[in-house]
mmCIF file of all heavy atoms in Angstrom:
data_model
loop_
_atom_site.group_PDB
_atom_site.id
_atom_site.type_symbol
_atom_site.label_atom_id
_atom_site.label_comp_id
_atom_site.label_asym_id
_atom_site.label_seq_id
_atom_site.Cartn_x
_atom_site.Cartn_y
_atom_site.Cartn_z
ATOM 1 N N LYS A 1 -4.745 3.957 10.387
ATOM 2 C CA LYS A 1 -5.313 4.985 9.524
ATOM 3 C C LYS A 1 -5.734 6.217 10.320
ATOM 4 O O LYS A 1 -5.548 7.350 9.881
ATOM 5 C CB LYS A 1 -6.512 4.425 8.762
ATOM 6 C CG LYS A 1 -6.981 5.296 7.612
ATOM 7 C CD LYS A 1 -8.007 4.574 6.752
ATOM 8 C CE LYS A 1 -8.392 5.424 5.555
ATOM 9 N NZ LYS A 1 -9.356 4.727 4.667
ATOM 10 N N VAL A 2 -6.267 5.980 11.515
ATOM 11 C CA VAL A 2 -6.703 7.086 12.375
ATOM 12 C C VAL A 2 -5.514 7.785 13.013
ATOM 13 O O VAL A 2 -5.428 9.019 13.005
ATOM 14 C CB VAL A 2 -7.670 6.570 13.468
ATOM 15 C CG1 VAL A 2 -7.945 7.672 14.490
ATOM 16 C CG2 VAL A 2 -8.975 6.100 12.853
ATOM 17 N N VAL A 3 -4.576 7.005 13.556
ATOM 18 C CA VAL A 3 -3.425 7.567 14.262
ATOM 19 C C VAL A 3 -2.553 8.426 13.355
ATOM 20 O O VAL A 3 -2.038 9.472 13.771
ATOM 21 C CB VAL A 3 -2.576 6.432 14.891
ATOM 22 C CG1 VAL A 3 -1.262 6.985 15.439
ATOM 23 C CG2 VAL A 3 -3.361 5.750 16.009
ATOM 24 N N TYR A 4 -2.397 8.004 12.093
ATOM 25 C CA TYR A 4 -1.537 8.736 11.161
ATOM 26 C C TYR A 4 -2.347 9.550 10.153
ATOM 27 O O TYR A 4 -1.780 10.060 9.176
ATOM 28 C CB TYR A 4 -0.608 7.761 10.435
ATOM 29 C CG TYR A 4 0.434 7.157 11.343
ATOM 30 C CD1 TYR A 4 0.207 5.945 11.993
ATOM 31 C CD2 TYR A 4 1.646 7.803 11.587
ATOM 32 C CE1 TYR A 4 1.148 5.387 12.846
ATOM 33 C CE2 TYR A 4 2.598 7.258 12.438
ATOM 34 C CZ TYR A 4 2.345 6.057 13.066
ATOM 35 O OH TYR A 4 3.287 5.507 13.907
ATOM 36 N N HIS A 5 -3.644 9.655 10.363
ATOM 37 C CA HIS A 5 -4.507 10.426 9.468
ATOM 38 C C HIS A 5 -4.225 10.060 8.000
ATOM 39 O O HIS A 5 -3.974 10.926 7.163
ATOM 40 C CB HIS A 5 -4.300 11.934 9.674
ATOM 41 C CG HIS A 5 -4.573 12.399 11.067
ATOM 42 N ND1 HIS A 5 -3.589 12.503 12.032
ATOM 43 C CD2 HIS A 5 -5.728 12.759 11.687
ATOM 44 C CE1 HIS A 5 -4.100 12.929 13.166
ATOM 45 N NE2 HIS A 5 -5.398 13.083 12.994
ATOM 46 N N VAL A 6 -4.252 8.774 7.713
ATOM 47 C CA VAL A 6 -3.881 8.285 6.388
ATOM 48 C C VAL A 6 -4.955 8.594 5.351
ATOM 49 O O VAL A 6 -6.141 8.326 5.553
ATOM 50 C CB VAL A 6 -3.619 6.765 6.416
ATOM 51 C CG1 VAL A 6 -3.271 6.259 5.020
ATOM 52 C CG2 VAL A 6 -2.480 6.443 7.384
ATOM 53 N N LYS A 7 -4.498 9.143 4.228
ATOM 54 C CA LYS A 7 -5.362 9.431 3.091
ATOM 55 C C LYS A 7 -4.837 8.640 1.896
ATOM 56 O O LYS A 7 -3.632 8.647 1.619
ATOM 57 C CB LYS A 7 -5.347 10.932 2.782
ATOM 58 C CG LYS A 7 -6.191 11.335 1.584
ATOM 59 C CD LYS A 7 -6.091 12.843 1.341
ATOM 60 C CE LYS A 7 -6.897 13.279 0.135
ATOM 61 N NZ LYS A 7 -6.745 14.750 -0.116
ATOM 62 N N LEU A 8 -5.719 7.950 1.200
ATOM 63 C CA LEU A 8 -5.319 7.150 0.048
ATOM 64 C C LEU A 8 -5.716 7.840 -1.252
ATOM 65 O O LEU A 8 -6.847 8.296 -1.391
ATOM 66 C CB LEU A 8 -5.978 5.764 0.114
ATOM 67 C CG LEU A 8 -5.750 4.963 1.404
ATOM 68 C CD1 LEU A 8 -6.506 3.637 1.339
ATOM 69 C CD2 LEU A 8 -4.264 4.707 1.621
ATOM 70 N N LYS A 9 -4.778 7.903 -2.181
ATOM 71 C CA LYS A 9 -5.042 8.518 -3.480
ATOM 72 C C LYS A 9 -4.604 7.571 -4.596
ATOM 73 O O LYS A 9 -3.641 6.834 -4.442
ATOM 74 C CB LYS A 9 -4.298 9.852 -3.622
ATOM 75 C CG LYS A 9 -4.766 10.928 -2.652
ATOM 76 C CD LYS A 9 -4.135 12.264 -2.979
ATOM 77 C CE LYS A 9 -4.645 12.813 -4.307
ATOM 78 N NZ LYS A 9 -4.139 14.191 -4.566
ATOM 79 N N GLY A 10 -5.322 7.614 -5.706
ATOM 80 C CA GLY A 10 -4.947 6.803 -6.857
ATOM 81 C C GLY A 10 -5.283 5.333 -6.714
ATOM 82 O O GLY A 10 -4.658 4.486 -7.370
ATOM 83 N N ILE A 11 -6.277 5.015 -5.899
ATOM 84 C CA ILE A 11 -6.650 3.614 -5.689
ATOM 85 C C ILE A 11 -7.031 2.943 -7.008
ATOM 86 O O ILE A 11 -6.826 1.735 -7.187
ATOM 87 C CB ILE A 11 -7.807 3.519 -4.671
ATOM 88 C CG1 ILE A 11 -7.334 3.989 -3.291
ATOM 89 C CG2 ILE A 11 -8.340 2.092 -4.578
ATOM 90 C CD1 ILE A 11 -8.425 4.016 -2.236
ATOM 91 N N GLU A 12 -7.556 3.737 -7.938
ATOM 92 C CA GLU A 12 -7.952 3.181 -9.237
ATOM 93 C C GLU A 12 -6.766 2.640 -10.028
ATOM 94 O O GLU A 12 -6.931 1.890 -11.000
ATOM 95 C CB GLU A 12 -8.684 4.241 -10.075
ATOM 96 C CG GLU A 12 -7.834 5.403 -10.541
ATOM 97 C CD GLU A 12 -7.632 6.504 -9.503
ATOM 98 O OE1 GLU A 12 -8.104 6.336 -8.354
ATOM 99 O OE2 GLU A 12 -7.015 7.532 -9.850
ATOM 100 N N ASN A 13 -5.551 3.012 -9.612
ATOM 101 C CA ASN A 13 -4.348 2.534 -10.309
ATOM 102 C C ASN A 13 -3.855 1.173 -9.804
ATOM 103 O O ASN A 13 -2.948 0.581 -10.405
ATOM 104 C CB ASN A 13 -3.215 3.555 -10.153
ATOM 105 C CG ASN A 13 -3.498 4.856 -10.882
ATOM 106 O OD1 ASN A 13 -4.041 4.845 -11.985
ATOM 107 N ND2 ASN A 13 -3.129 5.969 -10.275
ATOM 108 N N ILE A 14 -4.436 0.686 -8.714
ATOM 109 C CA ILE A 14 -4.030 -0.617 -8.180
ATOM 110 C C ILE A 14 -4.497 -1.698 -9.137
ATOM 111 O O ILE A 14 -5.689 -1.774 -9.469
ATOM 112 C CB ILE A 14 -4.623 -0.843 -6.777
ATOM 113 C CG1 ILE A 14 -4.109 0.231 -5.809
ATOM 114 C CG2 ILE A 14 -4.264 -2.237 -6.258
ATOM 115 C CD1 ILE A 14 -4.778 0.190 -4.439
ATOM 116 N N PRO A 15 -3.597 -2.538 -9.633
ATOM 117 C CA PRO A 15 -3.947 -3.554 -10.632
ATOM 118 C C PRO A 15 -4.929 -4.602 -10.101
ATOM 119 O O PRO A 15 -4.961 -4.871 -8.893
ATOM 120 C CB PRO A 15 -2.597 -4.210 -10.969
ATOM 121 C CG PRO A 15 -1.569 -3.237 -10.505
ATOM 122 C CD PRO A 15 -2.166 -2.568 -9.311
ATOM 123 N N PRO A 16 -5.712 -5.188 -10.975
ATOM 124 C CA PRO A 16 -6.636 -6.245 -10.557
ATOM 125 C C PRO A 16 -5.895 -7.517 -10.179
ATOM 126 O O PRO A 16 -4.722 -7.701 -10.540
ATOM 127 C CB PRO A 16 -7.503 -6.459 -11.806
ATOM 128 C CG PRO A 16 -6.619 -6.055 -12.945
ATOM 129 C CD PRO A 16 -5.829 -4.892 -12.418
ATOM 130 N N LYS A 17 -6.560 -8.381 -9.469
ATOM 131 C CA LYS A 17 -5.974 -9.648 -9.045
ATOM 132 C C LYS A 17 -5.505 -10.436 -10.263
ATOM 133 O O LYS A 17 -6.185 -10.470 -11.291
ATOM 134 C CB LYS A 17 -7.008 -10.459 -8.262
ATOM 135 C CG LYS A 17 -6.466 -11.735 -7.664
ATOM 136 C CD LYS A 17 -7.517 -12.443 -6.829
ATOM 137 C CE LYS A 17 -6.972 -13.725 -6.214
ATOM 138 N NZ LYS A 17 -8.004 -14.429 -5.395
ATOM 139 N N GLY A 18 -4.352 -11.042 -10.149
ATOM 140 C CA GLY A 18 -3.814 -11.818 -11.258
ATOM 141 C C GLY A 18 -2.751 -11.090 -12.048
ATOM 142 O O GLY A 18 -2.049 -11.693 -12.864
ATOM 143 N N THR A 19 -2.617 -9.781 -11.805
ATOM 144 C CA THR A 19 -1.588 -8.987 -12.490
ATOM 145 C C THR A 19 -0.224 -9.277 -11.868
ATOM 146 O O THR A 19 -0.092 -9.346 -10.645
ATOM 147 C CB THR A 19 -1.893 -7.481 -12.377
ATOM 148 O OG1 THR A 19 -3.185 -7.216 -12.904
ATOM 149 C CG2 THR A 19 -0.861 -6.664 -13.152
ATOM 150 N N ARG A 20 0.779 -9.442 -12.711
ATOM 151 C CA ARG A 20 2.136 -9.694 -12.212
ATOM 152 C C ARG A 20 2.819 -8.340 -12.006
ATOM 153 O O ARG A 20 3.155 -7.661 -12.972
ATOM 154 C CB ARG A 20 2.907 -10.525 -13.234
ATOM 155 C CG ARG A 20 4.355 -10.783 -12.847
ATOM 156 C CD ARG A 20 5.054 -11.664 -13.872
ATOM 157 N NE ARG A 20 4.544 -13.013 -13.864
ATOM 158 C CZ ARG A 20 5.293 -14.109 -14.025
ATOM 159 N NH1 ARG A 20 6.587 -13.990 -14.218
ATOM 160 N NH2 ARG A 20 4.755 -15.299 -14.008
ATOM 161 N N TYR A 21 3.012 -7.969 -10.740
ATOM 162 C CA TYR A 21 3.631 -6.663 -10.486
ATOM 163 C C TYR A 21 4.337 -6.611 -9.137
ATOM 164 O O TYR A 21 4.128 -7.448 -8.266
ATOM 165 C CB TYR A 21 2.588 -5.545 -10.576
ATOM 166 C CG TYR A 21 1.577 -5.476 -9.460
ATOM 167 C CD1 TYR A 21 1.700 -4.545 -8.440
ATOM 168 C CD2 TYR A 21 0.453 -6.312 -9.452
ATOM 169 C CE1 TYR A 21 0.751 -4.449 -7.429
ATOM 170 C CE2 TYR A 21 -0.502 -6.229 -8.451
ATOM 171 C CZ TYR A 21 -0.345 -5.296 -7.437
ATOM 172 O OH TYR A 21 -1.297 -5.205 -6.444
ATOM 173 N N ILE A 22 5.174 -5.595 -9.021
ATOM 174 C CA ILE A 22 5.930 -5.304 -7.805
ATOM 175 C C ILE A 22 5.501 -3.930 -7.310
ATOM 176 O O ILE A 22 5.314 -3.010 -8.115
ATOM 177 C CB ILE A 22 7.447 -5.295 -8.097
ATOM 178 C CG1 ILE A 22 7.918 -6.671 -8.576
ATOM 179 C CG2 ILE A 22 8.244 -4.847 -6.872
ATOM 180 C CD1 ILE A 22 9.312 -6.656 -9.176
ATOM 181 N N VAL A 23 5.336 -3.774 -6.015
ATOM 182 C CA VAL A 23 5.027 -2.473 -5.422
ATOM 183 C C VAL A 23 6.344 -1.817 -5.011
ATOM 184 O O VAL A 23 7.121 -2.399 -4.251
ATOM 185 C CB VAL A 23 4.102 -2.622 -4.201
ATOM 186 C CG1 VAL A 23 3.947 -1.286 -3.483
ATOM 187 C CG2 VAL A 23 2.735 -3.152 -4.628
ATOM 188 N N ALA A 24 6.603 -0.622 -5.524
ATOM 189 C CA ALA A 24 7.839 0.104 -5.191
ATOM 190 C C ALA A 24 7.485 1.320 -4.353
ATOM 191 O O ALA A 24 6.651 2.146 -4.754
ATOM 192 C CB ALA A 24 8.560 0.528 -6.467
ATOM 193 N N ILE A 25 8.120 1.440 -3.183
ATOM 194 C CA ILE A 25 7.769 2.478 -2.211
ATOM 195 C C ILE A 25 8.996 3.284 -1.799
ATOM 196 O O ILE A 25 10.075 2.712 -1.594
ATOM 197 C CB ILE A 25 7.201 1.836 -0.924
ATOM 198 C CG1 ILE A 25 6.320 0.634 -1.238
ATOM 199 C CG2 ILE A 25 6.459 2.854 -0.078
ATOM 200 C CD1 ILE A 25 6.077 -0.259 -0.035
ATOM 201 N N ASN A 26 8.848 4.600 -1.638
ATOM 202 C CA ASN A 26 9.942 5.376 -1.050
ATOM 203 C C ASN A 26 10.034 5.024 0.435
ATOM 204 O O ASN A 26 9.026 4.745 1.089
ATOM 205 C CB ASN A 26 9.725 6.878 -1.245
ATOM 206 C CG ASN A 26 8.419 7.372 -0.652
ATOM 207 O OD1 ASN A 26 7.355 6.796 -0.880
ATOM 208 N ND2 ASN A 26 8.473 8.465 0.082
ATOM 209 N N HIS A 27 11.251 4.999 0.953
ATOM 210 C CA HIS A 27 11.468 4.496 2.324
ATOM 211 C C HIS A 27 11.581 5.642 3.319
ATOM 212 O O HIS A 27 12.629 6.250 3.487
ATOM 213 C CB HIS A 27 12.736 3.641 2.356
ATOM 214 C CG HIS A 27 12.752 2.638 3.462
ATOM 215 N ND1 HIS A 27 11.768 2.557 4.425
ATOM 216 C CD2 HIS A 27 13.652 1.648 3.774
ATOM 217 C CE1 HIS A 27 12.043 1.578 5.259
ATOM 218 N NE2 HIS A 27 13.187 1.008 4.890
ATOM 219 N N THR A 28 10.478 5.913 4.002
ATOM 220 C CA THR A 28 10.421 7.024 4.955
ATOM 221 C C THR A 28 10.501 6.564 6.408
ATOM 222 O O THR A 28 11.055 7.252 7.250
ATOM 223 C CB THR A 28 9.111 7.810 4.766
ATOM 224 O OG1 THR A 28 7.999 6.910 4.975
ATOM 225 C CG2 THR A 28 9.006 8.373 3.357
ATOM 226 N N CYS A 29 9.907 5.397 6.695
ATOM 227 C CA CYS A 29 9.884 4.883 8.066
ATOM 228 C C CYS A 29 9.600 3.389 8.041
ATOM 229 O O CYS A 29 9.358 2.809 6.988
ATOM 230 C CB CYS A 29 8.834 5.620 8.908
ATOM 231 S SG CYS A 29 7.131 5.252 8.430
ATOM 232 N N ALA A 30 9.587 2.772 9.204
ATOM 233 C CA ALA A 30 9.395 1.323 9.301
ATOM 234 C C ALA A 30 7.997 0.891 8.871
ATOM 235 O O ALA A 30 7.778 -0.273 8.526
ATOM 236 C CB ALA A 30 9.656 0.861 10.734
ATOM 237 N N PHE A 31 7.047 1.824 8.869
ATOM 238 C CA PHE A 31 5.666 1.489 8.530
ATOM 239 C C PHE A 31 5.355 1.588 7.038
ATOM 240 O O PHE A 31 4.196 1.424 6.652
ATOM 241 C CB PHE A 31 4.699 2.413 9.293
ATOM 242 C CG PHE A 31 4.480 2.025 10.723
ATOM 243 C CD1 PHE A 31 3.756 2.851 11.565
ATOM 244 C CD2 PHE A 31 5.002 0.840 11.240
ATOM 245 C CE1 PHE A 31 3.539 2.507 12.899
ATOM 246 C CE2 PHE A 31 4.805 0.488 12.564
ATOM 247 C CZ PHE A 31 4.067 1.308 13.399
ATOM 248 N N ASP A 32 6.340 1.835 6.209
ATOM 249 C CA ASP A 32 6.070 2.020 4.780
ATOM 250 C C ASP A 32 5.270 0.874 4.156
ATOM 251 O O ASP A 32 4.280 1.129 3.451
ATOM 252 C CB ASP A 32 7.375 2.233 4.005
ATOM 253 C CG ASP A 32 8.054 3.544 4.383
ATOM 254 O OD1 ASP A 32 7.336 4.505 4.716
ATOM 255 O OD2 ASP A 32 9.290 3.607 4.347
ATOM 256 N N PRO A 33 5.645 -0.397 4.374
ATOM 257 C CA PRO A 33 4.844 -1.494 3.800
ATOM 258 C C PRO A 33 3.416 -1.518 4.348
ATOM 259 O O PRO A 33 2.485 -1.914 3.648
ATOM 260 C CB PRO A 33 5.612 -2.757 4.222
ATOM 261 C CG PRO A 33 7.010 -2.285 4.462
ATOM 262 C CD PRO A 33 6.853 -0.916 5.053
ATOM 263 N N VAL A 34 3.260 -1.078 5.600
ATOM 264 C CA VAL A 34 1.932 -1.029 6.215
ATOM 265 C C VAL A 34 1.082 0.028 5.520
ATOM 266 O O VAL A 34 -0.076 -0.217 5.160
ATOM 267 C CB VAL A 34 2.032 -0.706 7.720
ATOM 268 C CG1 VAL A 34 0.642 -0.578 8.345
ATOM 269 C CG2 VAL A 34 2.837 -1.776 8.434
ATOM 270 N N PHE A 35 1.658 1.205 5.322
ATOM 271 C CA PHE A 35 0.935 2.270 4.636
ATOM 272 C C PHE A 35 0.562 1.855 3.217
ATOM 273 O O PHE A 35 -0.562 2.086 2.759
ATOM 274 C CB PHE A 35 1.788 3.547 4.584
ATOM 275 C CG PHE A 35 2.000 4.206 5.916
ATOM 276 C CD1 PHE A 35 3.251 4.702 6.276
ATOM 277 C CD2 PHE A 35 0.962 4.345 6.824
ATOM 278 C CE1 PHE A 35 3.456 5.316 7.494
ATOM 279 C CE2 PHE A 35 1.160 4.957 8.059
ATOM 280 C CZ PHE A 35 2.409 5.446 8.396
ATOM 281 N N ALA A 36 1.506 1.234 2.508
ATOM 282 C CA ALA A 36 1.276 0.840 1.116
ATOM 283 C C ALA A 36 0.176 -0.205 1.000
ATOM 284 O O ALA A 36 -0.538 -0.259 -0.016
ATOM 285 C CB ALA A 36 2.564 0.312 0.498
ATOM 286 N N ALA A 37 0.022 -1.048 2.025
ATOM 287 C CA ALA A 37 -0.973 -2.117 1.998
ATOM 288 C C ALA A 37 -2.302 -1.695 2.604
ATOM 289 O O ALA A 37 -3.205 -2.522 2.769
ATOM 290 C CB ALA A 37 -0.430 -3.338 2.748
ATOM 291 N N MET A 38 -2.442 -0.407 2.940
ATOM 292 C CA MET A 38 -3.611 0.070 3.657
ATOM 293 C C MET A 38 -4.917 -0.131 2.881
ATOM 294 O O MET A 38 -5.954 -0.456 3.448
ATOM 295 C CB MET A 38 -3.436 1.557 3.980
ATOM 296 C CG MET A 38 -4.390 2.088 5.028
ATOM 297 S SD MET A 38 -4.090 1.387 6.657
ATOM 298 C CE MET A 38 -2.488 2.078 7.029
ATOM 299 N N SER A 39 -4.866 0.024 1.568
ATOM 300 C CA SER A 39 -6.082 -0.140 0.763
ATOM 301 C C SER A 39 -6.506 -1.602 0.728
ATOM 302 O O SER A 39 -5.678 -2.513 0.636
ATOM 303 C CB SER A 39 -5.839 0.351 -0.663
ATOM 304 O OG SER A 39 -6.940 0.014 -1.500
ATOM 305 N N SER A 40 -7.805 -1.828 0.776
ATOM 306 C CA SER A 40 -8.327 -3.198 0.692
ATOM 307 C C SER A 40 -8.079 -3.795 -0.685
ATOM 308 O O SER A 40 -8.172 -5.016 -0.868
ATOM 309 C CB SER A 40 -9.831 -3.199 1.003
ATOM 310 O OG SER A 40 -10.536 -2.382 0.077
ATOM 311 N N GLU A 41 -7.755 -2.943 -1.668
ATOM 312 C CA GLU A 41 -7.487 -3.410 -3.029
ATOM 313 C C GLU A 41 -6.089 -4.003 -3.166
ATOM 314 O O GLU A 41 -5.795 -4.683 -4.152
ATOM 315 C CB GLU A 41 -7.633 -2.238 -4.020
ATOM 316 C CG GLU A 41 -8.979 -1.544 -3.994
ATOM 317 C CD GLU A 41 -10.114 -2.479 -4.400
ATOM 318 O OE1 GLU A 41 -9.904 -3.264 -5.337
ATOM 319 O OE2 GLU A 41 -11.172 -2.434 -3.752
ATOM 320 N N VAL A 42 -5.229 -3.727 -2.201
ATOM 321 C CA VAL A 42 -3.850 -4.221 -2.253
ATOM 322 C C VAL A 42 -3.784 -5.606 -1.626
ATOM 323 O O VAL A 42 -4.221 -5.799 -0.487
ATOM 324 C CB VAL A 42 -2.888 -3.267 -1.510
ATOM 325 C CG1 VAL A 42 -1.470 -3.828 -1.488
ATOM 326 C CG2 VAL A 42 -2.888 -1.896 -2.183
ATOM 327 N N PRO A 43 -3.233 -6.596 -2.328
ATOM 328 C CA PRO A 43 -3.138 -7.954 -1.780
ATOM 329 C C PRO A 43 -2.039 -8.058 -0.730
ATOM 330 O O PRO A 43 -1.373 -7.072 -0.409
ATOM 331 C CB PRO A 43 -2.803 -8.795 -3.023
ATOM 332 C CG PRO A 43 -2.035 -7.850 -3.887
ATOM 333 C CD PRO A 43 -2.684 -6.513 -3.677
ATOM 334 N N GLU A 44 -1.844 -9.243 -0.212
ATOM 335 C CA GLU A 44 -0.766 -9.473 0.745
ATOM 336 C C GLU A 44 0.562 -9.066 0.118
ATOM 337 O O GLU A 44 0.863 -9.455 -1.008
ATOM 338 C CB GLU A 44 -0.724 -10.953 1.129
ATOM 339 C CG GLU A 44 -1.994 -11.420 1.828
ATOM 340 C CD GLU A 44 -2.096 -12.938 1.876
ATOM 341 O OE1 GLU A 44 -1.410 -13.605 1.075
ATOM 342 O OE2 GLU A 44 -2.864 -13.453 2.708
ATOM 343 N N LEU A 45 1.338 -8.271 0.833
ATOM 344 C CA LEU A 45 2.613 -7.798 0.316
ATOM 345 C C LEU A 45 3.781 -8.510 1.006
ATOM 346 O O LEU A 45 3.925 -8.437 2.226
ATOM 347 C CB LEU A 45 2.754 -6.281 0.521
ATOM 348 C CG LEU A 45 1.823 -5.377 -0.273
ATOM 349 C CD1 LEU A 45 2.129 -3.912 0.047
ATOM 350 C CD2 LEU A 45 1.960 -5.631 -1.771
ATOM 351 N N HIS A 46 4.589 -9.185 0.213
ATOM 352 C CA HIS A 46 5.828 -9.769 0.711
ATOM 353 C C HIS A 46 6.894 -8.678 0.580
ATOM 354 O O HIS A 46 6.985 -8.029 -0.477
ATOM 355 C CB HIS A 46 6.219 -10.982 -0.135
ATOM 356 C CG HIS A 46 5.225 -12.094 -0.076
ATOM 357 N ND1 HIS A 46 5.463 -13.277 0.591
ATOM 358 C CD2 HIS A 46 3.969 -12.212 -0.603
ATOM 359 C CE1 HIS A 46 4.417 -14.079 0.477
ATOM 360 N NE2 HIS A 46 3.499 -13.455 -0.253
ATOM 361 N N PHE A 47 7.676 -8.458 1.615
ATOM 362 C CA PHE A 47 8.605 -7.329 1.565
ATOM 363 C C PHE A 47 9.969 -7.675 2.146
ATOM 364 O O PHE A 47 10.092 -8.551 3.013
ATOM 365 C CB PHE A 47 8.023 -6.122 2.309
ATOM 366 C CG PHE A 47 7.791 -6.365 3.782
ATOM 367 C CD1 PHE A 47 8.742 -5.983 4.719
ATOM 368 C CD2 PHE A 47 6.627 -6.959 4.224
ATOM 369 C CE1 PHE A 47 8.537 -6.207 6.073
ATOM 370 C CE2 PHE A 47 6.410 -7.195 5.585
ATOM 371 C CZ PHE A 47 7.372 -6.809 6.509
#
């Protein structure tokens, strides 16, 4: 978060635990799943 100056927006849109969903991310670099999982509200992501 510090190295890439990561800013999180729209955290309120992350579904609550128990919701059946898929996270879809644009593919910019190898760290995309890492960036997407940065919020503590995001559960373990299988990718």
